[in-house]
Amino acid sequence: MVTQPIDEDAPSFLTFLKAGNALLQLRLEDQEGGCLLAFSNPLRAGDYASEAAPEQSFEYFCSSPKEVVLVVQHFVEYAGVTHVALDRCPRCNVFSTIRAASLNSAAKVIQA
């Protein structure tokens, strides 16, 4: 299988849900710190928003892999985020997380 490399500066690689000056995150019962929600496309982000928080308005904050690194680092440092959940389904209680500190390069963001 031949795969094309992903440009680290490609816009709209991951989508976050933005409310005011904050990005949507969860508090995890079994782990210390917050969990930043990231989505592989705006449709998945919109589905999550409409199911999990239908009364709230969100904007889409789309980022390149390089920008994702900066966003995650900022939220680790200033908001106590310890994990990132990718494509969290609003209809399920089970989901996977990635340690936020491990997303310290664009290559690792793409790999995740």
Side-chain angles (χ1 to χ4, degrees):
M1 182 169 123
V2 178
T3 60
Q4 251 182 309
I6 296 173
D7 180 1
E8 293 180 354
D9 295 308
S12 301
F13 181 76
L14 278 183
T15 301
F16 299 96
L17 290 169
K18 182 179 176 186
N21 290 329
L23 298 183
L24 187 61
Q25 53 186 295
L26 301 171
R27 287 287 169 195
L28 303 174
E29 290 180 22
D30 58 338
Q31 297 173 1
E32 191 174 315
C35 181
L36 189 61
L37 299 177
F39 300 90
S40 58
N41 63 58
L43 291 174
R44 290 179 188 240
D47 178 53
Y48 184 87
S50 67
E51 283 290 318
E55 69 290 342
Q56 193 168 357
S57 295
F58 294 98
E59 294 177 45
Y60 297 118
F61 179 67
C62 301
S63 301
S64 70
K66 284 183 179 177
E67 292 168 332
V68 169
V69 172
L70 298 174
V71 168
V72 171
Q73 285 177 340
H74 178 83
F75 276 80
V76 165
E77 190 172 333
Y78 296 105
V81 165
T82 58
H83 292 81
V84 175
L86 180 61
D87 289 334
R88 165 84 162 89
C89 175
R91 296 166 193 84
C92 304
N93 289 329
V94 178
F95 59 99
S96 297
T97 62
I98 301 167
R99 290 205 48 83
S102 71
L103 299 176
N104 58 6
S105 73
K108 288 182 181 177
V109 169
I110 292 168
Q111 183 181 14

